[in-house]
Amino acid sequence: MPDPRTADPHPQGSVADAAPGNWVDRFAPRATRGYLRLSRADRPIGTWLLLIPCFWGVALAAIADPNGFKRWDLWIAVSCAIGAFLMRGAGCTWNDITDRDFDAAVARTRSRPIPSGQVTPRQAAVWMVAQALVAALILFSYNTATIALGLASLLLVAIYPFAKRFTWWPQVFLGLAFNWGALLAWTAHAGRLSAAPVALYLAGIAWTLFYDTIYAHQDKEDDALIGVKSTARLFGNHTRLWLRGFLVLAVVLMTLAVLLAVLPGGRVLPLVLALAGVWGFGWHMAWQLTRLDTEDPARCMHLFRSNRDAGLIPALFLAAAAAV
């Protein structure tokens, strides 16, 4: 029996940027591992980053609602969690199908299931459709306006993998797709959109520009060799200045969203709690900047992953504000 203290933390077939000892590598049946890796089940941070704006949206909608949370909101939260896992999986599978040649040329991504031969492009396409169909069943449990928003998001998901081919700002397209849940969850509660969720959505896009620029610094040298564009390459040595701007923009827009949702009700305690969450969100991003070293890929990955905690701070405070 191998000594667990000296065992390879990345067994054969594991993806290079997956956490060592993740549940897929350790427990999933071998026949399923390639598909689960396509869905990034071994790297859950992306599911969190897709889900958190949903939590923001439903909590902010409950704050704006004189009746607060509804029983239906529990289904919104649970279904968004399931839907985030499925749609992130479908989106990542689509991304890996379209990027398979690029992934084979980049050190960090050549171990992904398609370039490493664990799954064929045809098998990946079938898996993508299966995930999307199950997610559609969840979407159709919502009201008509929310269904329409959910279907509209598919265009953003389809475009994103190609953005790095034609723009230096692919992170904008990621932000447009990943924060759609703020609009969707608000509408699932309220039945219609208003200015508050739009401001919240824009805050999420600024946040995505912040964290995904940090993420993109891991691959900037390989990206330059193969001609892939990113904000990391665009900003270069000025990255820290740009990130400060995105931080400020995210905090200002989220503050605006809170004010638009809370002020019409005239309640002080929910306003204080909600703004405290925004304040904590901003301070976490500021902490990330104090730790950032764009020449250290491991540090960039660590800070990128820490944005789960950054996003949960306002989610928890918004939920508390809605509950009082």
Side-chain angles (χ1 to χ4, degrees), residues 214 217-218 220 292-302:
I214 293 174
H217 268 282
Q218 298 175 93
K220 58 190 176 186
L292 179 63
D293 179 356
T294 58
E295 301 306 314
D296 183 345
R299 177 68 58 84
C300 289
M301 176 59 82
H302 172 73

Side-chain angles (χ1 to χ4, degrees), residues 18-314:
N22 65 80
W23 75 271
V24 173
D25 292 346
R26 295 177 63 193
F27 303 119
R30 187 172 299 275
T32 69
R33 290 177 187 172
Y35 297 98
L36 291 171
R37 289 165 182 153
L38 270 178
S39 298
R40 310 293 197 268
D42 54 344
R43 287 153 286 165
I45 179 59
T47 299
W48 278 109
L49 295 176
L50 188 61
L51 174 59
I52 285 169
C54 301
F55 287 162
W56 294 352
V58 69
L60 194 66
I63 295 174
D65 188 338
N67 297 315
F69 281 119
K70 306 172 183 177
R71 290 183 180 179
W72 174 249
D73 293 332
L74 179 59
W75 169 244
I76 294 174
V78 171
S79 61
C80 280
I82 300 170
F85 178 82
L86 291 168
M87 285 310 298
R88 190 247 182 158
C92 287
T93 303
W94 171 239
N95 184 81
D96 283 9
I97 292 170
T98 59
D99 280 2
R100 57 189 184 274
D101 293 333
F102 286 149
D103 286 346
V106 175
R108 187 179 59 83
T109 58
R110 65 170 58 106
S111 58
R112 286 180 176 174
I114 296 178
S116 65
Q118 299 175 53
V119 178
T120 68
R122 185 184 184 88
Q123 290 171 327
V126 172
W127 178 238
M128 175 187 69
V129 172
Q131 292 173 97
L133 288 176
V134 177
L137 295 176
I138 295 173
L139 178 64
F140 292 142
S141 72
Y142 294 150
N143 57 52
T144 302
T146 308
I147 293 172
L149 279 172
L151 293 175
S153 70
L154 295 177
L155 179 62
L156 297 172
V157 174
I159 292 174
Y160 168 67
F162 301 101
K164 56 183 167 287
R165 294 162 166 84
F166 63 80
T167 177
W168 287 99
W169 294 83
Q171 281 69 28
V172 171
F173 287 85
L174 182 68
L176 290 168
F178 257 56
N179 295 282
W180 199 259
L183 303 177
L184 190 144
W186 171 287
T187 307
H189 174 103
R192 61 183 178 84
L193 283 174
S194 63
V198 173
L200 187 65
Y201 176 57
L202 295 175
I205 294 171
W207 178 44
T208 302
L209 281 162
F210 179 91
Y211 68 65
D212 205 58
T213 297
I214 293 174
Y215 180 86
H217 268 282
Q218 298 175 93
D219 300 327
K220 58 190 176 186
E221 293 181 2
D222 285 332
D223 287 349
L225 289 173
I226 61 179
V228 168
K229 299 178 174 67
S230 72
T231 49
R233 290 187 61 208
L234 177 65
F235 301 156
N237 293 331
H238 301 291
T239 289
R240 195 176 297 273
L241 179 63
W242 278 94
L243 293 182
R244 287 195 190 100
F246 297 142
L247 186 164
V248 171
L249 187 59
V251 169
V252 168
L253 287 167
M254 190 176 287
T255 299
L256 176 61
V258 167
L259 294 176
L260 289 169
V262 181
L263 285 183
R267 295 178 297 157
V268 175
L269 183 55
L271 179 63
V272 171
L273 284 171
L275 291 178
V278 178
W279 179 84
F281 176 60
W283 272 108
H284 194 290
M285 295 169 74
W287 168 82
Q288 291 180 55
L289 282 179
T290 67
R291 302 286 295 163
L292 179 63
D293 179 356
T294 58
E295 301 306 314
D296 183 345
R299 177 68 58 84
C300 289
M301 176 59 82
H302 172 73
L303 292 176
F304 167 72
R305 288 174 174 161
S306 77
N307 279 279
R308 179 200 64 177
D309 298 339
L312 284 175
I313 292 170

